[in-house]
Amino acid sequence: MTVSIVRPKSLTAATLSPALRLKDILKTLPKECFQKDMKKAWTAVIVNVLMVGLGYASIAIAPWFLLPLAWLFTGTALTGFFVIAHDCGHRSFAKRRWVNDLVGHIFMLPLIYPFHSWRLLHNLHHNHTNKMDVDNAWQPFRPELYDGMPKLIQQAYQGMRGRLWWLASIVHWAIMHFDPSRVEAKDRNKIKLSVAVVVGFAAIAFPLLIATLGFVGLVKFWLMPWLVYHFWMSTFTLVHHTAPDIDFQEPEQWHAAKAQLAGTVHCDYPLGVEWLCHQINVHVPHHLSTAIPSYNLRMAHESLRANWGAHLYESRFSWSLMKTITDQCHLYHAEECYQSFKAHHQLKG
């Protein structure tokens, strides 16, 4: 995929009024954007289950040289599982909370992702998008924090912000989502429940898979698609809020409408990825309101283009896009948004 980056229409020239509120933007969206459609929601579930089943079948019958394609398809379809659970976490899948919680837990099982843990921590990201020291998704390190770290941690961070970006989601999953202390005391039992659910699933599924297909079967049917899923998770999350001219703001300067409208990136991916992942990369309207179901995101985005187009940041997935991000967007810089590792080390001498 070697398509060019589509720069913002007039991002540098367009300014948002400090008095602008999120609800002012939301009032311009069609009311239909916020309406749940159970037929569309459950159709997405059925189709996604069929696609994941097709993916596993392709892994079972594919000759060795076609396995990478089967893993790519299956891992991308499993990312669709996550997006369905994502809607459940935001209560935009079903009207009943218990349905959202049940479906969310089920669809995160193959990913070994604790549903409530992800849901609660992800809501923090939505409430404080691009706010320094608060946002928990791809926040750049401050230079002084980076300088004070052991060399090994610095090198790991360089990898996660550089060419190894696709592993960052695994690190985030392992560090953040199995620790109940990261949420308020009143929610910790929910975290413990979700962790118990996925640990119990893994304790049954993994030994069964090894017993029937051997350790190679575990790698072939679970690990490789799981790594593809984390490639997309890392890529989607990084691209959603990262560009050389999209800034993280100090808490006292943070402006909700600016962060959610102009600090969130719309990125076009290949049609197959968009379809299997339920349009989650139509991300600007999702950050304006998590109540918009995934199947209504494109409708909402077209409305935003018509009314707020000068403030939208739109790009297209390509190696050049990822190279730009991973070459430049490393450390926090108050005036220039980001400072690269190279520039930082040159300044230090």
Side-chain angles (χ1 to χ4, degrees), residues 171-218:
V171 176
H172 190 268
W173 163 81
I175 292 176
M176 299 284 289
H177 293 91
F178 293 85
D179 181 4
S181 67
R182 292 186 177 274
V183 302
E184 296 180 16
K186 65 182 178 66
D187 292 320
R188 288 174 188 169
N189 285 337
K190 295 176 183 177
I191 305 298
K192 293 175 183 178
L193 171 65
S194 292
V195 170
V197 167
V198 296
V199 170
F201 174 81
I204 297 171
F206 289 178
L208 185 61
L209 196 55
I210 294 171
T212 54
L213 297 173
F215 185 75
V216 171
L218 179 67

Side-chain angles (χ1 to χ4, degrees), residues 65-189:
F65 55 88
L66 290 180
L67 276 175
L69 291 177
W71 289 330
L72 177 61
F73 178 85
T74 308
T76 307
L78 284 169
T79 309
F81 270 22
F82 182 89
V83 177
I84 289 173
H86 176 271
D87 271 16
C88 292
H90 288 303
R91 313 307 190 194
S92 60
F93 177 81
K95 295 177 181 179
R96 296 182 183 273
R97 178 166 295 189
W98 72 266
V99 176
N100 285 308
D101 288 349
L102 179 62
V103 174
H105 276 92
I106 291 172
F107 275 74
M108 281 194 171
L109 282 179
L111 310 173
I112 316 300
Y113 226 119
F115 173 72
H116 281 310
S117 181
W118 167 81
R119 178 179 68 81
L120 293 164
L121 292 173
H122 184 66
N123 283 338
L124 178 68
H125 161 63
H126 273 276
N127 292 334
H128 303 281
T129 302
N130 288 18
K131 184 188 291 185
M132 277 302 295
D133 304 323
V134 184
D135 191 356
N136 59 5
W138 284 98
Q139 179 182 151
F141 284 178
R142 293 181 185 272
E144 56 271 23
L145 174 63
Y146 170 79
D147 290 336
M149 290 179 166
K151 289 295 182 183
L152 184 61
I153 303 300
Q154 286 186 356
Q155 290 171 357
Y157 179 70
Q158 289 172 19
M160 297 302 101
R161 299 296 305 203
R163 296 296 190 263
L164 297 179
W165 88 85
W166 47 276
L167 293 173
S169 175
I170 299 175
V171 176
H172 190 268
W173 163 81
I175 292 176
M176 299 284 289
H177 293 91
F178 293 85
D179 181 4
S181 67
R182 292 186 177 274
V183 302
E184 296 180 16
K186 65 182 178 66
D187 292 320
R188 288 174 188 169
N189 285 337

